[in-house]
Amino acid sequence: ISGFLIAGILSRNPSLSDFYSRRFIRIVPPYAGMILAALSCAALIFAPTDFDEVAVSTKWCLFFARNLQQVSEAKDYWAQASEYSLLLHTWSLGVEIQFYLVAPLLHFSISSMPGSWTKTLVILILLAASLGLHSTSDATNQFYSLPCRIWQFLLGFLAA
């Protein structure tokens, strides 16, 4: 859905400053509020030994990179079921924000190509490359990394 929506937004309004300012206003204030609320709750209920993990994951979250922390630590999402990680759920927004950084470049590059068949072919090639990377990567990268997930966004681009 995100790929479809972003392609539509960029088609209707090609202003990068408008695109990024709208994304910032829509995402950053509630995200910052959620992080502050989570940290407030953690201060009340977590043991002091848990604060190191919370501090490290918070730093990654502030850069919308919780997914990259999981990749760098080779953490399998499903294997962590027995652990509690306060901000683990922010990984998906990290992938989304990273896509927002790449989406305008993809959209404007593809839009500038002649002919709808050429555009479709380029999207399909990129989609196949990402799907190939996804199928040959380990479970952690498949789950958390943008290159392994960009095919999902490109399906939305294709639909748009």
Side-chain angles (χ1 to χ4, degrees):
I1 293 174
S2 289
F4 180 80
L5 293 173
I6 296 307
I9 289 168
L10 291 169
S11 292
R12 288 188 305 277
N13 184 3
S15 166
L16 282 179
S17 62
D18 187 49
F19 173 76
Y20 286 121
S21 66
R22 286 177 185 247
R23 300 280 74 72
F24 181 88
I25 291 167
R26 183 172 169 260
I27 294 170
V28 172
Y31 184 68
M34 179 278 305
I35 290 174
L36 287 173
L39 292 176
S40 298
C41 291
L44 295 173
I45 61 174
F46 278 21
T49 55
D50 295 326
F51 290 147
D52 287 342
E53 189 276 330
V54 171
V56 169
S57 63
T58 301
K59 289 175 189 173
W60 285 92
C61 288
L62 292 175
F63 293 99
F64 296 97
R66 186 72 161 102
N67 62 316
L68 300 177
Q69 178 191 15
Q70 295 299 107
V71 169
S72 73
E73 295 176 359
K75 296 249 182 145
D76 183 330
Y77 183 84
W78 302 110
Q80 296 180 76
S82 64
E83 301 173 16
Y84 182 76
S85 183
L86 180 67
L87 297 168
L88 179 60
H89 65 286
T90 62
W91 73 266
S92 62
L93 188 57
V95 172
E96 187 89 11
I97 294 296
Q98 292 154 25
F99 173 68
Y100 291 164
L101 296 175
V102 176
L105 174 67
L106 284 172
H107 176 77
F108 295 131
S109 297
I110 292 168
S111 296
S112 69
M113 295 176 178
S116 61
W117 285 107
T118 305
K119 295 172 187 173
T120 302
L121 181 61
V122 168
I123 292 172
L124 287 173
I125 290 169
L126 292 171
L127 194 148
S130 174
L131 201 49
L133 182 61
H134 183 274
S135 66
T136 59
S137 294
D138 61 35
T140 300
N141 277 294
Q142 288 175 339
F143 200 81
Y144 292 115
S145 75
L146 178 63
C148 288
R149 285 189 167 266
I150 203 162
W151 66 271
Q152 297 163 333
F153 294 102
L154 289 172
L155 283 174
F157 263 52
L158 200 56

